[in-house]
């Protein structure tokens, strides 16, 4: 598999990256995971999962030094539309980008930018949210406090009542009340 990956097989490189990242049949070696994820991305432009994982690795310093600029670049690359079959963007990346804006990591803090990205991650404001209930929870908090958006209790309630939101908001509040 390594020979195929080093010879440009994007799928082999991705699988090998996952193996090193998770310790599947090999020892966990995060630096090798980064190496093979990058080979995968270079040879398979559609590999949004590898791009997002590289964003996480740079954001948290996993196998590489922390670099929020690199993290943002990888998150944005994983959110690019890829033609007809992958026309939708990657909601998990949109949430990650919003979180970096909200936290001001590697760029000036901007709650307004964060709210726009959280809105994208929430199915472009429709509130279906898919697997990104955290974005909907963030929007509920932002509307209830006026962070980056106009204070609006009705909007806060709308986002709080969306599918998957309450469990994320509840977990944020446990121990913080």
């Amino acid at each position: 598999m390594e020979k195929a990956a080093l010879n440009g097989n994007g799928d082999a490189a991705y699988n090998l990256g996952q193996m090193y990242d998770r310790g599947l049949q090999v020892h966990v070696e995060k630096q090798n995971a980064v190496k093979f994820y990058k080979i995968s991305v270079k040879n398979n432009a559609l590999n949004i999962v590898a791009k997002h994982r590289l964003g996480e690795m740079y954001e948290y310093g996993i196998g590489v030094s922390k670099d929020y600029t690199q993290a943002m670049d990888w998150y944005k690359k994983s959110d690019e539309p890829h033609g007809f079959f992958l026309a939708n963007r990657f909601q998990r990346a949109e949430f990650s980008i919003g979180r970096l804006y909200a936290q001001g990591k590697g760029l000036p803090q901007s709650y307004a930018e964060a709210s726009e990205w959280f809105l994208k991650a929430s199915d472009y404001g429709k509130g279906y949210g898919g697997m990104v209930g955290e974005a909907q929870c963030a929007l509920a908090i932002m509307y209830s406090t006026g962070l980056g958006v106009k204070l609006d209790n009705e909007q806060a309630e709308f986002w709080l009542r969306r599918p998957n939101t309450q469990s994320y908001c509840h977990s944020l509040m446990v121990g913080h009340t």
Side-chain angles (χ1 to χ4, degrees):
M1 189 179 300
E2 186 170 343
K3 187 174 181 178
L6 293 173
N7 284 320
N9 183 310
D11 292 333
Y14 175 73
N15 290 333
L16 201 52
Q18 287 239 304
M19 290 172 72
Y20 280 117
D21 200 2
R22 296 179 179 180
L24 303 171
Q25 305 298 319
V26 295
H27 293 288
V28 171
E29 293 180 23
K30 298 297 185 176
Q31 291 170 325
N32 274 338
V34 170
K35 171 185 166 181
F36 286 108
Y37 285 145
K38 285 183 177 180
I39 292 171
S40 170
V41 168
K42 180 180 176 186
N43 294 291
N44 180 358
L46 298 179
N47 200 334
I48 61 175
V49 177
K51 292 173 188 176
H52 187 265
R53 181 62 180 146
L54 284 165
E56 291 174 328
M57 295 177 101
Y58 277 100
E59 181 180 357
Y60 298 107
I62 302 169
V64 293
S65 296
K66 275 187 186 182
D67 185 332
Y68 297 118
T69 302
Q70 283 283 328
M72 181 66 86
D73 288 345
W74 283 112
Y75 287 144
K76 285 186 175 180
K77 287 177 185 177
S78 71
D79 190 47
E80 295 169 349
H82 296 283
F84 179 74
F85 291 106
L86 290 174
N88 294 331
R89 296 178 180 268
F90 192 39
Q91 290 178 321
R92 177 63 51 197
E94 291 164 342
F95 172 74
S96 298
I97 293 166
R99 187 173 33 76
L100 287 179
Y101 273 113
Q103 295 171 344
K105 289 186 174 177
L107 58 151
Q109 185 178 47
S110 172
Y111 292 119
E113 281 286 330
S115 68
E116 289 180 29
W117 284 99
F118 292 149
L119 197 63
K120 290 178 185 181
S122 299
D123 202 21
Y124 292 88
K126 295 176 187 164
Y128 301 125
M131 58 187 257
V132 193
E134 301 104 306
Q136 296 173 165
C137 178
L139 285 167
I141 292 168
M142 294 177 104
Y143 277 108
S144 69
T145 60
L147 285 173
V149 295
K150 186 180 177 201
L151 183 70
D152 186 332
N153 288 326
E154 286 182 30
Q155 279 292 310
E157 188 70 22
F158 170 81
W159 288 110
L160 187 59
R161 300 232 178 262
R162 297 296 84 207
N164 302 324
T165 303
Q166 290 187 2
S167 62
Y168 288 105
C169 285
H170 178 72
S171 68
L172 287 174
M173 302 311 280
V174 171
H176 297 286
T177 56

